[in-house]
């Protein structure tokens, strides 16, 4: 096999492996963009960059010295296109936004594909290892680090049975929450509604709060929407 053809095959295989490894981690955790998506993103980025890197191959009648195509423009075009794909995996669930980490993994997978396409193998390998580390090892570190959970909370009462705000704050405090801000609303079905953002240092308090409101005789409706990716 010709040396250039061999190098092209190596480029594509490396991009496929790098994208596939990152995608496997995403698939394992049930993310919408997984193994095949990341593999194709990395492969496509590599292909496009090789089109610029080996431009003398598809312009055989033009002297090499006269070719002045700017490879960075191709990289910019790739990243612009990846922006649309990344936006597709970000979705709003209630009041929470999810999919940001998957979008970021798609973005860096495209960057790795670009690096492989221009034969920057060392930074591409390091970036692949670091990406897997961030997506897997950092997940475990994040789980044990002390953190605050922020929750969008809505709760409704009959207008004649509304729990006063001070009492509501005390009940939430007893459940391990602190109210950050609060707003009020009277609904058409004659319900009075509190809307608030609350926080807690223990994520397990969320399920306990749901159970507490479920058994509270004055509560007509409630919604608890934890934020996070």
């Amino acid at each position: 096999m010709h040396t250039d053809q061999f190098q092209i095959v190596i480029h594509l295989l490396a991009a496929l492996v790098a994208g596939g490894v990152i995608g496997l981690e995403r698939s394992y955790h049930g993310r919408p963009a997984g193994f095949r998506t990341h593999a194709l993103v990395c492969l496509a980025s590599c292909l496009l960059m090789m089109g610029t890197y080996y431009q003398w191959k598809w312009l055989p009648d033009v002297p090499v010295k006269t070719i002045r195509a700017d490879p960075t423009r191709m990289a910019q075009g790739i990243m612009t296109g990846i922006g649309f794909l990344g936006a597709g995996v970000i979705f709003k669930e209630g009041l929470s936004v999810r999919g940001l980490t998957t979008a970021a993994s798609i973005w860096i997978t495209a960057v790795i594909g670009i690096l492989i396409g221009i034969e920057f193998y060392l930074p591409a390998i390091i970036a692949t290892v670091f990406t897997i580390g961030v997506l897997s090892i950092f997940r475990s570190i994040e789980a044990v680090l002390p953190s605050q959970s922020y929750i969008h909370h809505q709760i409704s009462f009959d207008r004649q049975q509304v729990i006063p705000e001070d009492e509501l704050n005390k009940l939430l405090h007893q459940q391990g929450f602190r109210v950050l801000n609060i707003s009020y609303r009277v609904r058409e079905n004659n319900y009075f509604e509190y809307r608030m953002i609350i926080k807690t240092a223990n994520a397990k308090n969320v399920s306990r709060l749901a159970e507490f409101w479920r058994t509270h005789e004055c509560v007509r409706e409630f919604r608890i929407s934890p934020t996070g990716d």
Side-chain angles (χ1 to χ4, degrees):
M1 184 180 293
H2 194 276
T3 302
D4 290 334
Q5 294 177 336
F6 180 75
Q7 289 179 343
I8 289 172
V9 172
I10 294 299
H11 280 60
L12 298 179
L13 287 175
L16 191 64
V17 170
V21 168
I22 296 173
L24 280 174
E25 194 281 337
R26 294 284 83 193
S27 291
Y28 179 77
H29 291 98
R31 296 301 185 261
F35 177 66
R36 292 181 298 171
T37 301
H38 283 75
L40 288 174
V41 165
C42 198
L43 185 61
S45 301
C46 181
L47 279 168
L48 289 171
M49 285 308 296
M50 282 198 303
T52 302
Y53 190 78
Y54 289 98
Q55 54 193 290
W56 51 271
K57 297 284 289 184
W58 48 272
L59 293 172
D61 298 328
V62 180
V64 176
K65 292 183 179 179
T66 65
I67 300 175
R68 291 292 185 270
D70 185 0
T72 61
R73 293 191 177 186
M74 177 62 75
Q76 291 171 357
I78 293 171
M79 300 317 296
T80 300
I82 291 301
F84 289 99
L85 184 60
V89 300
I90 300 174
F91 60 95
K92 188 176 181 181
E93 184 180 30
L95 298 174
S96 301
V97 178
R98 300 184 181 277
L100 294 173
T101 302
T102 300
S105 69
I106 291 175
W107 185 68
I108 195 169
T109 300
V111 175
I112 292 170
I114 291 172
L115 293 175
I116 293 173
I118 59 176
E119 294 188 353
F120 271 34
Y121 289 115
L122 179 59
I125 293 171
I126 294 174
T128 301
V129 173
F130 283 0
T131 300
I132 295 300
V134 169
L135 293 175
S136 56
I137 299 174
F138 279 28
R139 179 191 300 272
S140 301
I141 296 174
E142 190 176 45
V144 300
L145 286 175
S147 63
Q148 296 286 336
S149 297
Y150 291 81
I151 298 101
H152 294 273
H153 185 30
Q154 300 171 213
I155 185 166
S156 301
F157 307 90
D158 287 327
R159 294 181 68 174
Q160 293 76 27
Q161 294 182 304
V162 177
I163 296 179
E165 183 178 341
D166 289 343
E167 184 177 343
L168 179 64
N169 285 334
K170 290 179 181 178
L171 289 173
L172 289 170
H173 182 72
Q174 291 171 0
Q175 300 299 317
F177 293 88
R178 177 187 171 192
V179 178
L180 300 181
N181 59 56
I182 189 168
S183 60
Y184 318 91
R185 178 188 178 193
V186 175
R187 295 168 52 183
E188 295 180 357
N189 53 7
N190 209 34
Y191 285 180
F192 180 86
E193 181 180 85
Y194 291 108
R195 292 188 176 188
M196 64 194 80
I197 296 177
I198 57 180
K199 73 173 183 177
T200 179
N202 186 354
K204 294 181 180 179
N205 288 337
V206 176
S207 59
R208 287 198 289 265
L209 179 64
E211 180 63 21
F212 176 74
W213 288 138
R214 186 185 69 81
T215 57
H216 199 290
E217 60 181 7
C218 294
V219 176
R220 292 295 169 261
E221 294 179 2
F222 72 88
R223 185 173 186 175
I224 301 173
S225 302
T227 61
D229 182 37

